[in-house]
Amino acid sequence: MTMLAACTEQEPTAGGPATRDDNLALGNPSGAVADATQYGNYLLVKPQYTLSYHRDRGTPNWVSWHLSSAWLGSAARQDDFRADNTLPAGWYQVSASSYSGSGFDRGHNCPSADRTGSSSDNSATFLMSNMIPQAPQNNQQTWASLENYCRTLVNSGNELYITMGQYGKGGTGSAGYYTTLSSGHVTVPKRIWKVIVVLPNGTGDAARVTSSTRVIAVDTPNDNSLNPNWSTYRTSVDAIEQATGYDLLSAVSGTVQNTLEAKVDNGPVQ
Ligand code: MN
Ligand code: MN
């Protein structure tokens, strides 16, 4: 009996109730570590999301989070933008006002609406370590519609593993082109990307990813003239890995990664 129970727990299963799973279950894209000497790739683990932070860019390199209906509730949007005082001592702390007047939004990586299970879960998304300077059209149209589509997938019985990141320098917000904000403490990214892995609710998730699992990858310019239709920007995971030097989905078997990461999603867009 005991052995059977242990065996059942380890085997991946589809179906069953939605759960809150490890935000990094599909891997750590840049091998980030919680060591302050690694100032360009510093690991910050929170219950609500996990990220790699770059001290000198004043932004995350990437943020990963798990999304299922178990994370969703009725908590109100807290709107309490604030510095993340869990960064190592002596590091510049980007504040709620660091982007003020720049023409860029404080763009969430892990969205407010993906963490509504409690006020404290929602509040965690307003830490400035979860923000990038994002062109308003990018944030409020293209990105917002992709975030809404993700929650549509969750509402139909799926769980998602999402990683958002950015690279390069220089973007065009509503007040024109900038490379940095806040006296150089914040870098304006050139490109903003996202990778979304879609699985039916279940357990043992990394082992359930197959070469036919749906993976949506997008890479957008940080530009206010962006097309509001996110599907215009679909690309392969391989292209994002090449642009960033990261290894996405590293907890998935190598043969599955090879097939999946070369594909460009052509599934439904709403
Ligand atoms: Mn799961
Ligand atoms: Mn990979």
Side-chain angles (χ1 to χ4, degrees):
M1 285 296 280
T2 308
M3 283 189 65
L4 183 62
C7 198
T8 304
E9 276 169 18
Q10 285 165 8
E11 280 187 16
T13 58
T19 53
R20 294 186 176 196
D21 298 340
D22 179 1
N23 293 310
L24 224 48
L26 300 192
N28 177 331
S30 60
V33 286
D35 171 350
T37 67
Q38 304 299 308
Y39 61 84
N41 187 25
Y42 180 76
L43 184 70
L44 263 181
V45 179
K46 301 181 188 297
Q48 297 83 10
Y49 52 86
T50 296
L51 64 87
S52 161
Y53 194 79
H54 197 306
R55 180 193 69 185
D56 294 347
R57 290 176 71 94
T59 63
N61 298 302
W62 52 259
V63 180
S64 288
W65 67 102
H66 174 248
L67 180 61
S68 72
S69 56
W71 291 100
L72 301 177
S74 55
R77 183 181 166 97
Q78 300 296 304
D79 264 325
D80 52 347
F81 291 92
R82 63 201 184 282
D84 188 339
N85 61 19
T86 70
L87 290 170
W91 286 22
Y92 183 81
Q93 289 191 1
V94 178
S95 75
S97 62
S98 292
Y99 301 3
S100 293
S102 69
F104 290 92
D105 283 357
R106 295 173 294 194
H108 282 74
N109 281 251
C110 180
S112 164
D114 282 6
R115 290 293 181 262
T116 53
S118 67
S119 328
S120 62
D121 277 354
N122 186 262
S123 177
T125 72
F126 288 89
L127 290 167
M128 291 304 292
S129 54
N130 184 42
M131 302 298 163
I132 54 168
Q134 190 169 10
Q137 299 264 42
N138 185 319
N139 182 35
Q140 296 167 26
Q141 296 186 13
T142 320
W143 223 248
S145 68
L146 178 55
E147 290 171 357
N148 285 333
Y149 179 59
C150 285
R151 289 185 291 270
T152 301
L153 292 170
V154 166
N155 291 338
S156 52
N158 296 296
E159 61 181 306
L160 276 49
Y161 287 90
I162 306 172
T163 300
M164 173 172 168
Q166 43 86 19
Y167 60 94
K169 188 172 185 176
T172 306
S174 61
Y177 180 81
Y178 285 87
T179 54
T180 64
L181 310 178
S182 201
S183 308
H185 288 298
V186 176
T187 296
V188 177
K190 179 175 186 177
R191 306 282 307 191
I192 303 171
W193 55 269
K194 189 172 261 188
V195 171
I196 302 151
V197 176
V198 186
L199 291 166
N201 285 335
T203 61
D205 297 334
R208 287 194 297 133
V209 179
T210 69
S211 54
S212 54
T213 296
R214 186 173 185 197
V215 178
I216 302 167
V218 297
D219 189 351
T220 66
N222 189 17
D223 190 316
N224 226 22
S225 63
L226 204 66
N227 188 322
N229 181 353
W230 62 264
S231 67
T232 312
Y233 300 101
R234 283 188 281 196
T235 185
S236 66
V237 173
D238 277 343
I240 294 172
E241 289 187 337
Q242 196 160 21
T244 59
Y246 301 151
D247 181 7
L248 291 149
L249 317 184
S250 61
V252 172
S253 90
T255 47
V256 171
Q257 282 185 67
N258 287 344
T259 308
L260 268 189
E261 293 180 349
K263 290 189 198 174
V264 177
D265 176 64
N266 60 5
V269 301
Q270 60 184 5

